[in-house]
Amino acid sequence: MSQEMFDKLAQAVVEGELEDAEELAKQALEQGLDPLACINEGLTQGMDRVGELFAEGEYYLPDLIIGGEAMKAALTVLEPALTGDQEREVAGRVVLGTVEGDLHEIGKTLVGTMLTANGFQVTDIGVDQSATEFIAAVKESNATLIGASALLTTTIPEQQKIIEALAEAGLRDKVKVMVGGAPVTQAWADKIGADGYAEDAISAVSVAKKLVKA
Ligand code: B1M
């Protein structure tokens, strides 16, 4: 039953069917399915398939865009349910964004939702944000953690620029940096001197909790 719904959600993303994706998400919640499982086992599988079809030359840029829009349509239904389910505690302040030159927002936003759901105060500065913009947001919000998302092999060096800019601003010992995104690995995080790496939105919560306590 649940697998059937996950497959339908994935298919709606692959086909870029915004209304279907949203309607299926509503049905999934009505059926009592776990919103997080709908995201991970359904929508994300669909996004991965869209990415594969793009890499194989079967899909073009508009297909990527419409797939992303379908996922976002379903997330507008699922994310509030996710947040409502979680226990609240004040955990820490985070500035979260996607690095300069990178427009991928869905994974970053999901990380923000999970952090918020787990008691973090999240300042989401959006996509295509320079190191300077991350630092300005840290100063404004008094955050002790930066979360920098990057989805392109060409933009992951921007994560390193953020760490360097923090040092230049004299804030490196006060602000921890967590990096993530599909091409990011623990080895990359170690190489650039990031404090933490999270593979997905769930592990981002435990990594962030460790970093703000350290
Ligand atoms: Co783009 N894109 N894209 N794209 N896109 C990828 C990333 C790609 C792998 C597709 C492919 O070729 N197979 C490829 C990158 C190749 C590479 O560099 N290795 C690619 C490319 C090439 C491009 C363009 C260059 C295409 C072009 O123009 N020719 C272009 C670049 C634009 C730019 O950014 N400057 C481009 C554009 C786009 C759209 C804008 C059209 C669209 C994004 C729409 C949007 O975000 N509103 C898009 C999409 C949708 C994708 C794919 C299909 C899906 C990304 C996604 O949303 N996944 C993607 C292929 C793929 O990933 N399978 C692809 C779902 C999301 C939940 O997962 O973002 O990985 P993800 O986030 C996960 C984890 O990574 C992690 O947790 C999240 C949740 O579990 N995570 C973090 C993410 N950030 C984190 C931060 C953390 C911790 C964990 O701490 C701070």
Side-chain angles (χ1 to χ4, degrees), residues 127-205:
V127 299
D128 192 16
Q129 296 295 307
S130 68
T132 311
E133 285 162 318
F134 272 92
I135 307 299
V138 161
K139 286 181 181 164
E140 202 169 308
S141 64
N142 266 330
T144 56
L145 178 63
I146 284 178
S149 178
L151 263 286
L152 300 170
T153 43
T154 48
T155 57
I156 56 174
E158 295 298 323
Q159 294 175 327
Q160 185 168 12
K161 286 192 191 164
I162 293 169
I163 294 169
E164 289 165 359
L166 264 182
E168 277 165 30
L171 291 169
R172 189 64 189 100
D173 56 342
K174 295 190 185 72
V175 181
K176 300 275 170 47
V177 178
M178 172 171 71
V179 292
V184 179
T185 59
Q186 182 65 58
W188 169 254
D190 293 342
K191 187 175 171 194
I192 64 173
D195 303 293
Y197 157 71
E199 190 182 0
D200 56 34
I202 308 291
S203 51
V205 174

Side-chain angles (χ1 to χ4, degrees), residues 46-64:
M47 269 333 304
D48 284 347
R49 184 69 194 126
V50 170
E52 283 165 16
L53 290 166
F54 179 72
E56 288 162 11
E58 289 262 331
Y59 269 21
Y60 298 96
L61 198 53
D63 302 303
L64 279 189

